[in-house]
Amino acid sequence: MQRSVSLCALALASLLIVCALLSLVLGAMNLPVYDSLLIVVDKLFGANLSQLEDYQQIVVLELRLPRLLLAVFVGAILAQCGAVVQGLFRNPLADPGIIGVSSGAAVGAIVAIVVFPAVWGSWTIPTMAFVGGLLTTLLVYGLAQSKSGTSVLILLLAGVAISAFAGAAIGFLSYFADDASLRELNVWQMGSLTGANDANLWLAFTTMVLLMIAFQRRAQALNALLLGEPEARHLGIDVEQLKLQMIILTAVGVGVAVSCSGIIGFVGLVVPHLVRLATGPNHHFLLPLSALLGAVLLMCSDLLARLVVQPAELPVGLVTVLLGAPFFLILLIQQRKNWS
Amino acid sequence: MLQLTNVSFKPQGKLLLNQVSISVRAGEVYGLLGANGAGKTTLLKAISGDIKASGSITLYGKALAQWNRRELAKHLAVLPQSSQLTFPFSAREVVALGLTPLSLSKAQAASLIDEKMHATDCYSFADRAYPSLSGGERQRVQLARVLLQLSQASHSPLLLLDEPTSAQDLGQQHNLLRLTQTLAKKEGFGVVAILHDLNQVLRYCDRCCLLDQGRVSAVDSPDKLLSDERIQQHWQYQPQRVVLGNGQTALI
């Protein structure tokens, strides 16, 4: 087990580096590989090795690099939140997107964009996205709890209802939005990494690190929770406190991810699943490996989004849904035999 | 070690436990008997803290609510009747969950896990996925987990068993009960078990408590408690008795 975990970690880390390099050099404007890498080294260490022209430097440093970093941070956040939500609901079909949490966060963000754009400065959108995500998580969790555990049917149906409501709310708000807000709204709904800037990079990075630490500290408790709530309680875990902490932390994660990049679906569903196939459901390994694979997946999706229809580009949320939705259907087919 | 005084539980106006007072000693296997709906499972849940009953429940003289969670988990464990676990943990990983309240070095933990898996006869499938195991195998894995959880107790621990033999074949049922009996006799465990098979009660329990509509009807050693009249009264069944070669009685 330890060996397969190490191998997996090594493979994913290598993949992350390769994808990052490809993301820097590939795109609508083809740049020399070697110099594109050197300019990053120049930027980091204040050297002067790269031969790139000024406009080419801008493409690498101000467009591609922030974007790939945001993909890494948001991918890692979403994948870990997915793993935690699946553990919390004790169901591999749970995902912040599918159960409606991302939609709730998006409604919060859009209310912030349209109704009161500048109340708390740049914190307005993330805060409102967090509040929307938190309220939705609490609502869905409350609805799906029953004496016999968590009802998957109610979970998924609540997700459908909340996503529909969110869609309507977003439509309603966009009716009142001005042109600039409308463009921003489109980005939220499709999911895009084009808005990467220093402020949201720092926000996403800090959130990713904090979530990694907080989740990892609770990994054993999350493992015990998979046995069932009474069993976890008998093992000395304060289950109610654990659930509340995890709900708040995932709402923070999803809220920040949505505020930085809009709704990016299915990363939280697909990634923990693939990692579980390789190394099992132990959260000690599942959480960090999911963060790595989430980063790789979102970076690759963004690369695809930039390359497929270049010089134009697709919203990255579209790519993850195109990849993730069939995966979800396959999962449903596999689970069908457990339900009948 | 375990003392219940006037424990009652009345959710939504329905009295499920009515002034139950019993005590369980270290080193004994204590059976909870009664017809369906008599309150056996409710009583076990009250002891394990899954439901909040009124009255007093103390373990080593200290009310359960006053125990530190982790300390309590080291001294009181529940073997569940079935588990909701659907994620593909290996059997060994499930057993390792018993480490949750403990503080052990990696090497100590690994050797204790092996020891408990040998003791419950599940070492041979340690690396198989838990959901792929049979009902009986799963329960042995859960027992190993529970024994691991109790391995750092400073007093004799209390083990609660909710119908421990329901998913087992005949041989496994006896192996499991023999093991719990050994734990009680050799290591001083207090064991409280819900059992349906009265012959198993006669063979393995030191004392038992007969429940009827949430109240204690009788507490005694099994051979005294299980008279023909009581069995007829509580289970509406007239048993026949066969005296075995070793002098013990079996009910048919």
Side-chain angles (χ1 to χ4, degrees):
Chain A
M1 178 55 72
Q2 294 286 352
R3 220 182 127 207
S4 68
V5 171
S6 317
L7 273 177
C8 229
L10 195 68
L12 286 175
S14 322
L15 208 57
L16 186 78
I17 294 169
V18 172
C19 289
L21 296 180
L22 288 177
S23 296
L24 277 184
V25 299
L26 295 179
M29 179 190 290
N30 276 323
L31 296 174
V33 178
Y34 192 58
D35 284 319
S36 304
L37 302 182
L38 282 181
I39 189 69
V40 179
V41 176
D42 287 354
K43 173 83 177 168
L44 281 175
F45 302 105
N48 198 10
L49 306 167
S50 173
Q51 307 283 314
L52 288 189
E53 302 287 333
D54 283 353
Y55 71 95
Q56 292 175 319
Q57 290 190 12
I58 291 175
V59 168
V60 174
L61 293 178
E62 288 177 27
L63 296 176
R64 290 183 188 169
L65 186 62
R67 200 170 160 155
L68 94 85
L69 288 176
L70 192 61
V72 169
F73 303 153
V74 169
I77 291 173
L78 287 176
Q80 286 190 94
C81 288
V84 168
V85 168
Q86 290 172 9
L88 199 62
F89 287 96
R90 285 187 296 289
N91 196 296
L93 290 180
D95 162 78
I98 292 172
I99 63 175
V101 179
S102 306
S103 304
V107 172
I110 285 163
V111 168
I113 295 169
V114 178
V115 183
F116 40 96
V119 181
W120 303 303
S122 60
W123 287 97
T124 319
I125 294 171
T127 310
M128 287 298 289
F130 160 68
V131 171
L134 182 65
L135 290 179
T136 326
T137 321
L138 290 173
L139 176 69
V140 174
Y141 195 79
L143 281 173
Q145 283 295 305
S146 68
K147 273 190 179 159
S148 54
T150 311
S151 161
V152 189
L153 193 65
I154 295 180
L155 197 67
L156 298 180
L157 289 178
V160 172
I162 288 170
S163 301
F165 176 79
I170 292 166
F172 182 75
L173 287 167
S174 53
Y175 189 77
F176 296 102
D178 55 26
D179 273 359
S181 301
L182 211 53
R183 249 196 314 279
E184 220 171 332
L185 287 189
N186 264 332
V187 172
W188 293 108
Q189 279 173 289
M190 305 262 237
S192 163
L193 296 162
T194 45
N197 57 40
D198 282 357
N200 62 24
L201 275 177
W202 275 113
L203 178 66
F205 174 72
T206 318
T207 310
M208 178 189 75
V209 173
L210 289 180
L211 287 185
M212 274 179 154
I213 296 168
F215 286 153
Q216 197 60 36
R217 283 167 60 114
R218 306 297 275 164
Q220 179 71 13
L222 284 167
N223 283 343
L225 196 61
L226 294 185
L227 282 174
E229 288 184 22
E231 285 79 5
R233 205 173 293 121
H234 300 154
L235 281 164
I237 289 163
D238 188 341
V239 172
E240 295 309 313
Q241 191 196 49
L242 175 71
K243 286 187 336 193
L244 190 66
Q245 284 175 348
M246 292 301 116
I247 285 176
I248 291 177
L249 288 173
T250 45
V252 168
V254 173
V256 166
V258 165
S259 75
C260 292
S261 56
I263 302 179
I264 295 181
F266 291 99
V267 175
L269 175 83
V270 174
V271 169
H273 242 282
L274 292 176
V275 176
R276 263 191 222 104
L277 284 180
T279 63
N282 187 340
H283 285 87
H284 287 292
F285 312 126
L286 176 66
L287 289 165
L289 291 178
S290 291
L292 263 177
L293 183 58
V296 171
L297 186 73
L298 194 53
M299 214 163 27
C300 290
S301 303
D302 192 45
L303 192 59
L304 271 180
R306 287 198 289 123
L307 294 181
V308 171
V309 289
Q310 64 173 316
E313 61 177 70
L314 294 169
V316 67
L318 215 59
V319 178
T320 62
V321 172
L322 281 175
L323 295 174
F327 187 88
F328 184 62
L329 282 177
I330 293 169
L331 272 182
L332 272 181
I333 292 166
Q334 279 178 351
Q335 294 250 321
R336 199 168 52 172
K337 63 176 186 288
N338 298 340
W339 290 354
S340 53
Chain B
M1 62 193 296
L2 177 73
Q3 182 75 47
L4 279 76
T5 315
N6 296 330
V7 171
S8 297
F9 183 59
K10 193 176 178 183
Q12 290 143 14
K14 202 176 164 206
L15 195 59
L16 296 182
L17 291 177
N18 188 358
Q19 302 285 312
V20 174
S21 298
I22 56 168
S23 67
V24 178
R25 301 171 200 140
E28 74 173 348
V29 179
Y30 190 97
L32 291 181
L33 316 183
N36 283 342
K40 304 180 295 287
T41 301
T42 313
L43 183 58
L44 207 70
K45 282 187 178 168
I47 301 172
S48 65
D50 288 341
I51 55 171
K52 295 271 172 285
S54 65
S56 128
I57 304 177
T58 61
L59 184 65
Y60 290 107
K62 191 163 149 188
L64 287 186
Q66 259 141 41
W67 280 76
N68 165 289
R69 280 171 193 281
R70 282 180 66 175
E71 278 306 306
L72 184 62
K74 288 184 194 174
H75 291 87
L76 191 162
V78 187
L79 180 69
Q81 196 177 358
S82 60
S83 169
Q84 306 175 356
L85 183 63
T86 49
F87 285 84
F89 274 123
S90 70
R92 182 190 296 277
E93 285 175 314
V94 174
V95 176
L97 291 176
L99 296 170
T100 309
L102 310 181
S103 34
L104 290 169
S105 72
K106 263 193 173 173
Q108 282 174 317
S111 84
L112 265 179
I113 291 171
D114 285 354
E115 181 191 314
K116 303 302 174 196
M117 294 193 90
H118 278 299
T120 52
D121 196 20
C122 48
Y123 192 77
S124 56
F125 47 84
D127 293 321
R128 273 179 55 197
Y130 181 85
S132 74
L133 301 176
S134 73
E137 289 167 334
R138 286 181 193 196
Q139 197 152 30
R140 272 144 59 205
V141 171
Q142 293 285 357
L143 182 64
R145 167 179 74 79
V146 162
L147 293 183
L148 183 62
Q149 177 188 343
L150 297 174
S151 59
Q152 271 193 326
S154 50
H155 307 287
S156 302
L158 178 67
L159 177 58
L160 307 179
L161 309 173
D162 186 2
E163 300 186 33
T165 54
S166 55
Q168 313 256 25
D169 67 31
L170 192 64
Q172 288 166 350
Q173 290 182 14
H174 283 281
N175 283 339
L176 185 94
L177 289 170
R178 209 175 296 130
L179 178 68
T180 52
Q181 196 179 35
T182 313
L183 289 169
K185 300 298 163 239
K186 296 249 172 77
E187 298 182 37
F189 276 50
V191 179
V192 179
I194 296 177
L195 291 173
H196 279 296
D197 184 334
L198 298 183
N199 281 312
Q200 289 176 347
V201 174
L202 282 166
R203 192 158 165 188
Y204 294 104
C205 292
D206 298 296
R207 287 195 303 151
C208 41
C209 163
L210 181 60
L211 288 167
D212 184 24
Q213 295 179 354
R215 92 183 30 247
V216 176
S217 166
V219 176
D220 213 330
S221 63
D223 47 347
K224 288 191 187 136
L225 188 131
L226 291 173
S227 65
D228 288 359
E229 299 75 50
R230 279 217 182 89
I231 295 174
Q232 171 67 36
Q233 184 193 340
H234 288 271
W235 287 277
Q236 285 78 48
Y237 177 74
Q238 188 67 51
Q240 294 193 338
R241 282 169 195 274
V242 181
V243 179
L244 305 173
N246 58 7
Q248 286 186 331
T249 310
L251 298 169
I252 297 176

